[in-house]
Amino acid sequence: MAYKTGPKLVTSGLQMCLDASDKNCYSGTGTSMTELVSNYNDGYQALINGPTFSTENAGVIVLDGSNDYITVKQIDSQLYTICLWVKFDTVANDATHVIIRQGYSPANYGLYLVNGVLHTYGVGSGGNHFSSTSITLSAGNWYNIVYIKNWTLSKEAIYINGVLQYGLSDFSAGTYSFNNSSQSYNYTDLGRNVSNNNSFVDGRYASLLIYNRLLGLTEIEQNFDAQRAKFGV
C-alpha cells in the first residue's frame, strides 16, 4: 500500500484503506471502490454523481464542487485515527465544506472547512461540538490530514503533513453513540455537506485510512513518509 519506495503504512488497527492509485482499489472507471483491508467491502464504497479519475500523483479521485462526493461504510469505535490526502481546487471564503464526516446524529467525527479554516465536529448522546482549530488550508496544495478523536477521554488532535497543529484539545459532545441502523445517514461522506446538499468539495482525494485506535507520532510520521513523495510534499 506504500507508494513504490519508503516505509510501509501502519497496519495495526487499520479498518479501512482506500487508495485511488492502487488498481486493486479502483480500476479507473466505474462508481465502486474496493476497500483494501477487506473489512468493509459490502457495496458502500461508492463514487456518487460522477467523480472522475485522474492519473496525476499516481491516481486521484476528482470532485467537481457541484454535486460529486464519495461515500464509505461507518466504523464503530470510541477511538479513531483518520488519515487522508486531499487537495482543494478552490476554497470559498463564504462556504462550509465537509471534508469527511461519519454519520449525522450521532456523528462520530467530522472535519469541516469553514471559510478556509479547519473545524472539528461530533455529536454524541446528549451533546455536540463544532470547534475551530485555527488551521488554514488553501487551494492548490496537497495536505496529509490526520485527525485523532478519543471519545473515552473527550480529546482530539490534528496533524498536518506529519506535524501536530491542533491539540490535544478537549471537546464536549456528550457520550459516544453509534447508529448502525438502516437509515439515510448511515455512512461516511467525503466531500458532501449532508446538512446542505448545495455544498460540495471542489478538489481531489487520493487516499483514506481509518484506524480503530490512536496512532502515535512515530506512526503518523511513518504513514506520511510512505506517501509524501508522490504529492511533492
Side-chain angles (χ1 to χ4, degrees):
M1 288 182 284
Y3 177 70
K4 292 186 177 179
T5 60
K8 294 181 179 180
L9 298 175
V10 175
T11 58
S12 174
L14 183 60
Q15 299 297 295
M16 181 173 290
C17 176
L18 298 173
D19 186 342
S21 70
D22 191 326
K23 294 300 183 182
N24 294 308
C25 176
Y26 188 62
S27 66
T29 61
T31 61
S32 64
M33 303 181 77
T34 300
E35 193 275 305
L36 294 172
V37 294
S38 299
N39 288 330
Y40 294 91
N41 278 321
D42 52 9
Y44 270 78
Q45 286 65 246
L47 309 180
I48 309 297
N49 295 331
T52 57
F53 176 77
S54 171
T55 57
E56 66 183 86
N57 304 105
V60 301
I61 302 297
V62 182
L63 308 186
D64 64 7
S66 175
N67 62 355
D68 295 354
Y69 65 100
I70 304 167
T71 187
V72 302
K73 183 72 172 178
Q74 290 192 120
I75 294 172
D76 185 9
S77 177
Q78 295 194 42
L79 305 176
Y80 290 100
T81 300
I82 297 96
C83 313
L84 55 85
W85 282 93
V86 62
K87 181 173 79 170
F88 305 100
D89 291 334
T90 60
V91 174
N93 291 324
D94 57 351
T96 297
H97 299 296
V98 177
I99 300 171
I100 186 170
R101 180 171 73 182
Q102 174 166 298
Y104 182 70
S105 183
N108 302 125
Y109 58 80
L111 287 174
Y112 285 59
L113 195 62
V114 182
N115 303 330
V117 178
L118 195 60
H119 288 63
T120 64
Y121 179 68
V123 179
S125 178
N128 63 82
H129 83 97
F130 190 66
S131 308
S132 174
T133 69
S134 298
I135 298 170
T136 300
L137 303 181
S138 58
N141 301 308
W142 277 104
Y143 295 102
N144 176 226
I145 304 174
V146 178
Y147 180 30
I148 290 175
K149 200 171 192 78
N150 183 340
W151 278 92
T152 304
L153 298 179
S154 297
K155 299 280 189 180
E156 61 181 5
I158 294 178
Y159 294 76
I160 303 293
N161 295 343
V163 178
L164 179 66
Q165 299 286 344
Y166 175 73
L168 288 169
S169 297
D170 296 324
F171 68 87
S172 179
T175 57
Y176 177 81
S177 178
F178 180 75
N179 187 349
N180 197 34
S181 63
S182 178
Q183 47 92 19
S184 297
Y185 302 123
N186 184 28
Y187 41 65
T188 301
D189 278 344
L190 293 86
R192 177 178 75 143
N193 186 350
V194 74
S195 300
N196 179 356
N197 277 328
N198 294 316
S199 178
F200 294 86
V201 167
D202 178 19
R204 294 136 205 274
Y205 287 81
S207 64
L208 170 68
L209 307 172
I210 303 178
Y211 297 82
N212 64 358
R213 67 180 185 88
L214 309 179
L215 267 60
L217 175 59
T218 300
E219 295 173 309
I220 291 169
E221 291 175 336
Q222 178 179 329
N223 281 350
F224 174 61
D225 288 338
Q227 293 194 314
R228 65 184 301 181
K230 64 179 176 179
F231 301 106
V233 177

